[in-house]
Amino acid sequence: MKLVKVILLALLTLNGYSQQKTQVFFDFNKDTPTDKSNQDLETWLEQNTNIEIVKMIGYCDSVDKRDYNKDLAMRRINTMVTALKNKNIKISDALVLKALGKDFKLSKNQSENRKVEIFYTTIPIVKEEQVSEEGKDTYNTLDGLVATEISALENKFIKAKKGDLIRINNINFFFNSEKIMEQSMPLLEELLQIMLTYPKLRIEVHGHICCNPNPMDTKLSYRRALIIYKYLASHGIPNNRLAYKGIGSNLPIYPLPERTEAQRAANRRVEILIMDK
């Protein structure tokens, strides 16, 4: 017998651990919440300390062009990711981000359209329990079902829908280079394995850079996306399942100029757009 951690969903009702949602609203053409939403968020966080953020969807009103609104919606999402991290709220490794801009059923009240929806779950109780050696690669849920472990990255792809944007944490690059850091290679290999496991999956690789305030300079981010594309293609993924795009510094996780090397490294990243699955 061996001691392992088993996640027990020890809650009284289904609503206790199902995915829930809250909303944060923004002023016109702003990526910071309204004063009222900031107050409501503080109250909500006081009442919901034991949670994990699993998905965010950003929206805009009907004013301005589609691409601008999607960019604004993503900036609103990034504002909320940063705000929640600063409050020490747990962000899932399988976090799914989706910027809809104005591509949704708009409310007649424009202020209701300028928002970010935050989906979260209650963090389950973790308890030490005796299980057999043969069961070490599985966990038992409260209803007796047994599920095999999957990686956090694969879980992102399983949960994502067409049009979702998946941020892959820790595929990072050397400064001012498309060379991938050695410690990031296992994640790149894992991405390849996911593409091999799910043959219907079609993706667009998005490359990002740090430190450069010029929104028109996308050359380096283009090369970073291309390096991922070439790696997957050279390992047997058909070209019709792959695309790539350079975003430049237009959608930073941390605002420019970054304050620390950790923030710069986080902005030098790869994201995956699900085109089909």
Side-chain angles (χ1 to χ4, degrees):
M1 303 290 287
K2 181 182 178 181
L3 276 177
V4 297
K5 285 187 176 180
V6 177
I7 297 178
L8 297 180
L9 304 180
L11 305 171
L12 295 177
T13 65
L14 180 62
N15 288 336
Y17 56 84
S18 61
Q19 194 173 103
Q20 302 169 74
K21 179 180 75 173
T22 190
Q23 300 180 112
V24 177
F25 293 92
F26 298 76
D27 284 323
F28 174 71
N29 203 29
K30 300 290 185 182
D31 57 11
T32 53
T34 65
D35 290 341
K36 183 179 185 308
S37 264
N38 271 325
Q39 294 171 3
D40 291 344
L41 183 64
E42 289 291 338
T43 301
W44 177 75
L45 289 173
E46 289 174 2
Q47 298 171 350
N48 295 274
T49 56
N50 196 41
I51 59 172
E52 181 177 34
I53 308 302
V54 296
K55 185 175 183 178
M56 292 191 191
I57 304 178
Y59 303 85
C60 295
D61 56 36
S62 61
V63 181
D64 224 304
K65 296 181 179 179
R66 178 177 180 272
D67 287 346
Y68 177 83
N69 279 1
K70 293 194 79 169
D71 174 77
L72 177 57
M74 182 54 70
R75 284 190 278 122
R76 287 172 173 169
I77 290 171
N78 286 332
T79 294
M80 296 318 303
V81 170
T82 301
L84 292 170
K85 283 183 176 179
N86 289 341
K87 294 290 185 179
N88 295 318
I89 299 300
K90 182 173 175 57
I91 307 293
S92 172
D93 289 336
L95 179 68
V96 174
L97 308 176
K98 189 169 187 177
L100 291 181
K102 60 181 179 180
D103 299 330
F104 65 101
K105 187 176 181 180
L106 291 155
S107 168
K108 292 181 180 179
N109 183 346
Q110 291 281 39
S111 64
E112 294 178 354
N113 299 319
R114 300 188 287 266
K115 64 185 178 182
V116 169
E117 291 180 335
I118 301 172
F119 295 82
Y120 64 98
T121 59
T122 301
I123 298 174
I125 299 168
V126 178
K127 181 180 178 181
E128 296 282 350
E129 183 173 284
Q130 294 278 350
V131 298
S132 66
E133 182 70 20
E134 290 77 11
K136 65 183 179 181
D137 292 327
T138 66
Y139 63 89
N140 297 294
T141 62
L142 191 63
D143 58 7
L145 298 176
V146 176
T148 58
E149 292 180 354
I150 60 173
S151 71
L153 182 58
E154 184 175 355
N155 194 39
K156 288 184 181 184
F157 282 88
I158 291 172
K159 291 182 176 181
K161 301 181 181 64
K162 180 179 178 180
D164 282 353
L165 189 65
I166 296 175
R167 179 178 296 163
I168 303 184
N169 298 325
N170 301 321
I171 289 189
N172 297 126
F173 300 83
F174 287 99
F175 177 72
N176 202 30
S177 170
E178 63 269 30
K179 184 180 179 182
I180 298 172
M181 292 183 174
E182 186 64 30
Q183 60 265 37
S184 296
M185 287 307 298
L187 269 177
L188 190 54
E189 293 165 2
E190 191 175 351
L191 175 61
L192 170 63
Q193 187 57 51
I194 290 168
M195 294 297 293
L196 293 170
T197 302
Y198 302 96
K200 293 183 179 180
L201 183 62
R202 293 178 59 244
I203 65 171
E204 183 175 77
V205 181
H206 289 184
H208 297 262
I209 63 173
C210 74
C211 314
N212 186 343
N214 182 1
M216 304 303 293
D217 189 355
T218 60
K219 297 188 292 295
L220 177 56
S221 64
Y222 174 91
R223 296 199 303 273
R224 286 177 174 168
L226 178 60
I227 223 68
I228 305 296
Y229 173 96
K230 286 183 174 179
Y231 174 85
L232 295 173
S234 68
H235 286 79
I237 306 302
N239 290 339
N240 62 4
R241 295 178 57 200
L242 300 169
Y244 58 96
K245 184 177 182 180
I247 306 298
S249 60
N250 289 288
L251 296 174
I253 298 173
Y254 295 98
L256 275 63
E258 300 89 341
R259 296 182 179 180
T260 66
E261 176 53 34
Q263 291 184 359
R264 288 186 284 273
N267 282 345
R268 300 192 294 268
R269 70 193 190 277
V270 170
E271 292 177 340
I272 303 295
L273 176 67
I274 304 297
M275 300 176 68
D276 204 358
K277 63 180 296 192

